[in-house]
């Protein structure tokens, strides 16, 4: 399975203002469905997460794999911290993992969900991680220590997505 990177046909105007795009690259190494993909904040790397139990970090320009992060089970979500030094991932095993993007090693495992983690995101200041999932909760974690700050039971079904406002003052979740 693969994902593609798109660029504007008109190099001087941003992609989002154009209705015309072309594929700039295609990356093909995952062995199962992709659930997540995100650019590194610097733009030179791309992370992709898959049901094949891996997160691959790619060089955007060449498509070479910088790191192959192995999970015990499928990956459903990922998010870079604002400076790109850490990557949070979640998956079917109910654990949020914080990876060092330089070394490709796990720094912390955040345990507290009781089902699949469907979404993770760093706050704009990088100090908090929000996660949500199959257990119908939104959890807030201290990104530095990995400790659970708060668990919010506000939904009756799976919580699919969680995001911070750009100022980091509010959180939105969908179910």
């Amino acid at each position: 399975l693969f994902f593609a990177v798109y660029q504007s046909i008109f190099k001087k105007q941003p992609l989002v203002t154009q209705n015309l795009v072309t594929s700039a690259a295609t990356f093909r190494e995952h062995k199962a469905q992709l659930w997540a993909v995100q650019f590194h904040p610097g733009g030179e790397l791309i992370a992709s997460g898959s049901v094949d139990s891996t997160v691959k970090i790619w060089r955007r320009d060449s498509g070479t794999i910088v790191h192959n992060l192995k999970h015990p089970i499928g990956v459903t979500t990922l998010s870079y911290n604002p400076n790109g030094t850490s990557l949070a991932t979640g998956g079917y095993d109910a654990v949020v993992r914080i990876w060092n993007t330089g070394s490709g090693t796990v720094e912390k495992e955040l345990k507290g969900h009781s089902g699949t983690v469907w979404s993770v995101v760093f706050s704009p200041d990088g100090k908090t991680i929000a996660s949500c999932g199959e257990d119908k909760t939104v959890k807030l974690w201290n990104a530095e220590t990995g400790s659970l700050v708060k668990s919010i039971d506000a939904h009756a079904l799976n919580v699919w997505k969680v995001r911070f406002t750009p100022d980091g003052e509010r959180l939105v979740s969908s179910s």
Side-chain angles (χ1 to χ4, degrees), residues 123-170:
S123 61
D125 65 6
K127 294 180 180 178
T128 304
I129 297 168
S131 61
C132 65
E134 184 178 26
D135 63 4
K136 306 170 192 164
T137 67
V138 174
K139 297 193 182 302
L140 299 175
W141 310 86
N142 180 303
E144 185 178 328
T145 66
S147 62
L148 180 64
V149 175
K150 185 169 186 72
S151 183
I152 304 165
D153 300 316
H155 294 279
L157 298 169
N158 281 336
V159 186
W160 296 107
K161 192 69 80 173
V162 63
R163 290 292 179 257
F164 286 95
T165 55
D167 63 7
E169 295 295 316
R170 295 178 190 255

Side-chain angles (χ1 to χ4, degrees), residues 38 129 172:
Q38 185 179 7
I129 297 168
V172 63

Side-chain angles (χ1 to χ4, degrees), residues 48-116:
S48 60
S50 171
V51 176
D52 69 6
S53 304
T54 65
V55 170
K56 297 183 187 307
I57 300 178
W58 314 75
R59 291 202 184 286
R60 185 197 63 180
D61 58 355
S62 65
T64 57
I65 296 173
V66 176
H67 293 296
N68 188 30
L69 312 178
K70 186 71 177 129
H71 281 245
I73 196 165
V75 179
T76 57
T77 182
L78 54 81
S79 176
Y80 279 107
N81 70 344
N83 65 13
T85 58
S86 295
L87 182 73
T89 62
Y92 295 124
D93 66 354
V95 177
V96 175
R97 289 177 175 78
I98 310 303
W99 301 80
N100 178 303
T101 57
S103 65
T105 58
V106 175
E107 292 183 331
K108 295 173 194 62
E109 290 189 344
L110 314 182
K111 297 180 180 178
H113 283 285
S114 61
T116 301

